[in-house]
Amino acid sequence: MMVGYGREDLLRAASAGIRAPSLHNTQPWMFRLREGTIEILADPSRRLAVADRAGWAVRLACGAATYNARLALATAGRPAEVTLRPDRAQPDLMARLTPARSRRPTYAESDLYAAIPRRHSHRAPFWPDPVPAETRRRLLDAARAENAWLDLLVGMVPLAGFAEIAHSADRVLRRDARYQLEMSGWTHADAALDGIPVAAGAPTPEPQDLLPQRSFTERRRSPGRDYEPEPLVAVLGSAGDRPADQLQAGQALQRVLLTATDSGLAASMISQPIEVPAAREQLRRSLSRSGFPQLALRVGYGQSAPTTPRRPVADVLVS
């Protein structure tokens, strides 16, 4: 009989889980130890009522937290079997991790686990250095390993098409007063434990920018600090679009982001084309994919920046 997880395992998993990304850094998760298993639950009080009416962003975030927890347990020699949405009578229960056979962690698991505290969204301009082909293959393999797909938009024709869709979606969201009010409520000038610090926001958009940026700040960029003219944009997607598919996509997202971090890359997330249903459908058709886009990423090389804050582990544990 497999021995269940103890409190030390839970704390290790939760400490890694809270470093996952989430829309506006809402951190919409909780962790529960029950009968030797670890469960990741959605926190309904932290779902964005306007930006995330259907809960897509919460599920993506909880999937990413699940992947971090998996890595933490695997590198402790206690890998987990993951069951997504194990009890439909508990709609907030996103995933249950039960102990699998003990084994030594792989080198890849150790490298990705070490990348967890270094990963953060980099919203500033990237350097012009291109991402090597081998590194691009690593990103594609990371998504595929988690039953998702990643399309890299190479060349100005697909980039321009994506930029048009992204800007169109961004204009829709900028015109929504309730959306803007909600976003400003998660933007902080002080040392809050959640949300987006003003200092971590992108500089004020300029007319020449190819891709839209969230307006978290009125800070203007320094002269000569334009965004890269031909960024590497990646679109992450899944075969289905059910809640379990979105949780799986969240795991793939985190594996891609940690792979990028381990490769010395920086990344920022572009969610506007996913948040606007018409734009998401337009993006899906432009990719000639039968699946569903779940998030877009801008990937490149950039100067290291501070990570966004997180709540203490004690605040996310439930009995």
Side-chain angles (χ1 to χ4, degrees), residues 14-29 46 68 116-117 119-121 123 191-197 254 269 306-313 315-316:
S15 296
I18 62 174
R19 296 304 320 172
S22 56
L23 186 60
H24 302 344
N25 192 27
T26 55
Q27 304 172 40
W29 45 61
R46 288 177 168 266
N68 276 5
I116 289 175
R119 185 218 62 82
H120 66 277
S121 292
R123 301 175 181 88
L193 295 175
D194 53 17
I196 304 295
Q254 187 64 353
M269 285 163 273
T307 57
T308 49
R310 291 297 188 274
R311 292 177 293 158
V313 171
D315 288 1
V316 299

Side-chain angles (χ1 to χ4, degrees), residues 99-264:
R101 185 179 299 277
S102 298
R103 61 167 174 79
R104 292 176 61 87
T106 66
Y107 289 121
E109 288 169 336
S110 297
D111 289 343
L112 294 181
Y113 178 69
I116 289 175
R118 306 198 312 271
R119 185 218 62 82
H120 66 277
S121 292
H122 187 101
R123 301 175 181 88
F126 290 154
W127 299 326
D129 309 61
V131 177
E134 178 56 35
T135 304
R136 297 182 185 212
R137 280 192 291 271
R138 284 192 68 194
L139 300 178
L140 298 173
D141 291 344
R144 194 177 301 116
E146 297 299 324
N147 298 313
W149 48 263
L150 191 73
D151 277 2
L152 302 180
L153 308 185
V154 180
M156 283 310 300
V157 172
L159 269 178
F162 173 82
E164 182 178 351
I165 295 170
H167 275 292
S168 176
D170 191 62
R171 285 192 294 270
V172 170
L173 299 176
R174 285 177 185 272
R175 290 195 297 265
D176 187 332
R178 292 178 62 239
Y179 183 96
Q180 295 300 316
L181 181 63
E182 181 179 66
M183 186 173 70
S184 67
W186 287 94
T187 306
H188 306 304
D190 54 9
L193 295 175
D194 53 17
I196 304 295
V198 170
T204 302
E206 300 285 354
Q208 68 269 25
D209 292 346
L210 179 65
L211 301 174
Q213 295 286 342
R214 304 277 192 191
S215 295
F216 291 116
T217 176
E218 295 300 318
R219 175 171 51 88
R220 302 298 294 268
R221 72 189 64 165
S222 303
R225 286 293 287 157
D226 271 350
Y227 282 86
E228 56 281 5
E230 193 170 339
L232 178 60
V233 172
V235 180
L236 177 81
S238 54
D241 199 33
R242 300 167 302 173
D245 297 313
Q246 294 167 359
L247 287 165
Q248 189 64 49
Q251 294 185 81
L253 168 67
Q254 187 64 353
R255 185 161 182 163
V256 169
L257 290 173
L258 293 177
T259 300
T261 301
D262 181 57
S263 301

Side-chain angles (χ1 to χ4, degrees), residues 164-166 168-170 172-173 175 271-286 293:
E164 182 178 351
I165 295 170
S168 176
D170 191 62
V172 170
L173 299 176
R175 290 195 297 265
S271 61
Q272 295 95 317
I274 311 301
E275 295 176 56
V276 178
R280 188 188 190 202
E281 176 58 21
Q282 189 178 2
L283 176 59
R284 187 190 68 79
R285 291 199 308 268
S286 73

Side-chain angles (χ1 to χ4, degrees), residues 292-311:
F292 298 86
Q294 299 292 350
L295 200 67
L297 303 171
R298 172 178 149 264
V299 183
Y301 294 98
Q303 187 174 354
S304 180
T307 57
T308 49
R310 291 297 188 274
R311 292 177 293 158

